[in-house]
Amino acid sequence: MELFEKYKGNNIAIYGIGKNAERLLKSLHGYKVVGLIDKEHWGEQFFGKTVFPIEEIVDKVDVIIIAASILSTAIVYKRIKNIVPNRILLYDSRGFRLNSSNNVSDNLYWKFSNSQMLSEIEKHKIISFDIFDTLIMRRVLEPRDIFRLVEWRLREKNIAIPFYDWRIASETEAIKKYGDCSFENIYSCMADKYALDTNVIEICQKLEKDTELDFIIPRHRTIEALNYARNLGKKVILISDMYFDHVFIEKMLHKCGVNSWDNLYISSEVKCNKGTGTMYDYVVQCECSTDILHIGNDVEADIKMAKQKSWNAFLVMDSKQMLYCSSIAYLQDKVKTFTDKLILGHIIARIFNDPFALSAFKGKYLFENAIDFGYSCISTVALAYVGWIVRKLSKEKNALVLFVSRDGYFLKKIYDLVKEKFKLPKSIYFYSSRMVAKMVNVRSELDIKELCRDINIYQDVQLSDFIAYKFGVKLDTSFDGKIRNILLDHGYAIIEKELMRHQDELLHHAAEQRMNYLSYIKQLGMEKYDKVFFVDLITHGTTYHALLKLMSEKLTLLAMGKYQADSEYMYSMLENLVDNNTHRYLYPVLEMSFASREGQLSGIKSSGEKEFLSGSEYDSALLDDLQLGIMTMVSDLEQNGINWIHNPISNDFAMAVLNIFSFHKTVFKRELVDRFSLFDFGNDENTLEYACCEIVD
């Protein structure tokens, strides 16, 4: 069933025992449905599945689907919503998430802290650490995503096999055959089951291990806790239910900076595991002590089973659990493509690397620096947009791409990274602005009046400054003052009269600027190209249409979002934004994030030198950090061979990620927010405050 395809590897329960449940169960053939839920009939069998009470099954499942009509679903949800833990995904049969914001702040885990973990370490003789998702972690949403990546890499080697499905099936068979199976056992089953020759098996084994190493990263906070235990003279042991042998696991640990421990216990080697509790019995025999604290991420295997065996245990949530319990849990429902899923894995590996990152603000992440903000919130939409541009231009042979200042600056950088690889058209950083594009098109008295039509929105601006901004020239006016006061005292007629008094001067300056600007355009040699593309961000098309009036070349607009109906020469990644207010807080943040260090273009001298509006520059250090964060994500994906061009990021997911910072979903340090001052003539404002983010000192 496509609606729940992403949860095929998770434990699922169906609420209901009627016809809806039967139909749903049939559609979920091949899924891990562990049982049914009903307020009665406990222990009975329906459709081959056992019925459990809701209170009992919540410890066994990751997903609950209510199989009922819309009305009945609402009744059931009201009855069970306070019983179902936040970590469990609760859906109706249509695939609609019911508990995406279910009591995020009430999670008891938010009371845990790093200091508590260190305090517990001090109390015990032996400190035991789980390995995967505790000391080290993969930059993926789910461990099985590694298998999908291996399948991608196999295709690049012209080995077209359904590795993901075969690898999962082979591991299941190996567990049945060998119990605590090894890596070699799994591949032995795969070779037999699918008649693969030795060479292919060896390639698959190597690729899986290489991919694991590529995606493994340290979990710094728990590694610090391990080093703290060592410095206290504690005995440190590592435990893992894992098919890899100690040689490869040690290689992974060393890569992540984990270099010191006393003993290492791996289920595939000792033939015991945490899940059944036999590993804990085995370790007690080997260590000759029960004074052991175990630190791990699995509630069942690492915490409940350890305590059942009389060990002490301390929970550290993994990044996926933290996502499910956080205020941004909605992101998991926005994943549409495997690339979306991989990027989400990268994001949570960064912001939830610290298992206590959500504790201070009870499920909300605190952004303290612009690098993390650029990486986690801005990079996804940047890649989605550039990927869309690349696919639009992939067949163009003799074309030129204009990335328009200022927000085209960093988009061009990303485009240029892949330009040679995909044989894309030449790109130019093109100097323009709404101010200049309109001003150079002033040719008559009517144009002067048209340019001042929006004067009412600049009520708190001095008239002389308004004229300088609109026309690029300082006039020796007969009077001056705030536009608000002039309009109240004299009306617009006196302003229009003053403009007409300087008509010749304004038209002369516009003509001079037009000549200079046309000279700049001519130097670019656009006439040599069959097509010229004009890349803008979110636009009304003001600059685009103004340039069309000025230039002989036909421009094709490529925009992330636009407010005009589609035409032959206007394309948009997003749907038309006529009735969409999202841009009000998204666009200013994106405009800053992609901008150059230069201010807004105010004109071009006869020498060709560019002139910029004084005071319109953004915080250059902020831009450095934002763009470093974005480029770090780009580098991470490129280094790991994730082709975000041909395996696109979905628009829904990109915009959902961008929303991480909006409407109180996350928290920002005041000192970071204060740096997001957006220049917009007559209306300087803070872009993040405008986006309704939560701010703390």
Side-chain angles (χ1 to χ4, degrees), residues 463-476:
L463 177 61
S464 57
D465 292 336
F466 172 79
I467 294 171
Y469 176 71
K470 287 290 184 178
F471 296 96
V473 60
K474 277 278 188 183
L475 296 181
D476 183 16

Side-chain angles (χ1 to χ4, degrees), residues 167 170-171 174 181-191 243:
R167 176 63 176 76
S170 300
E171 184 174 340
C181 63
S182 67
F183 189 64
E184 288 70 23
N185 294 151
I186 294 168
Y187 275 93
S188 174
C189 287
M190 185 185 290
Y243 38 77

Side-chain angles (χ1 to χ4, degrees), residues 452-556:
C452 296
R453 190 177 60 177
D454 61 351
I455 195 168
N456 282 312
I457 67 174
Y458 298 98
Q459 300 252 339
D460 292 322
V461 175
Q462 295 290 116
L463 177 61
S464 57
D465 292 336
F466 172 79
I467 294 171
Y469 176 71
K470 287 290 184 178
F471 296 96
V473 60
K474 277 278 188 183
L475 296 181
D476 183 16
T477 54
S478 304
F479 58 89
D480 199 7
K482 280 191 176 182
I483 290 172
R484 176 193 309 279
N485 298 332
I486 296 171
L487 291 175
L488 283 173
D489 295 341
H490 306 286
Y492 179 67
I494 193 172
I495 296 176
E496 190 172 279
K497 184 177 179 181
E498 182 66 20
L499 289 171
M500 293 305 102
R501 191 170 73 86
H502 292 278
Q503 178 179 337
D504 291 344
E505 188 177 349
L506 294 175
L507 292 175
H508 174 76
H509 180 76
E512 188 177 68
Q513 280 296 309
R514 184 162 54 251
M515 183 175 63
N516 294 344
Y517 200 65
L518 285 169
S519 176
Y520 161 67
I521 291 172
K522 187 175 182 180
Q523 289 172 9
L524 301 179
M526 294 187 198
E527 70 281 353
K528 296 183 296 186
Y529 299 92
D530 296 333
K531 287 185 182 179
V532 179
F533 292 89
F534 181 91
V535 176
D536 207 344
L537 203 54
I538 297 177
T539 179
H540 285 90
T542 306
T543 308
Y544 168 73
H545 285 295
L547 288 171
L548 283 180
K549 291 180 183 179
L550 191 68
M551 299 166 58
S552 57
E553 290 79 13
K554 190 69 176 178
L555 298 177
T556 299

Side-chain angles (χ1 to χ4, degrees), residues 137 141 319-320 323 344-353:
M137 63 190 295
L141 191 60
S319 59
K320 183 180 176 183
L323 172 65
L344 183 54
H346 279 70
I347 291 170
I348 64 173
R350 187 179 186 95
I351 64 176
F352 299 153
N353 187 283

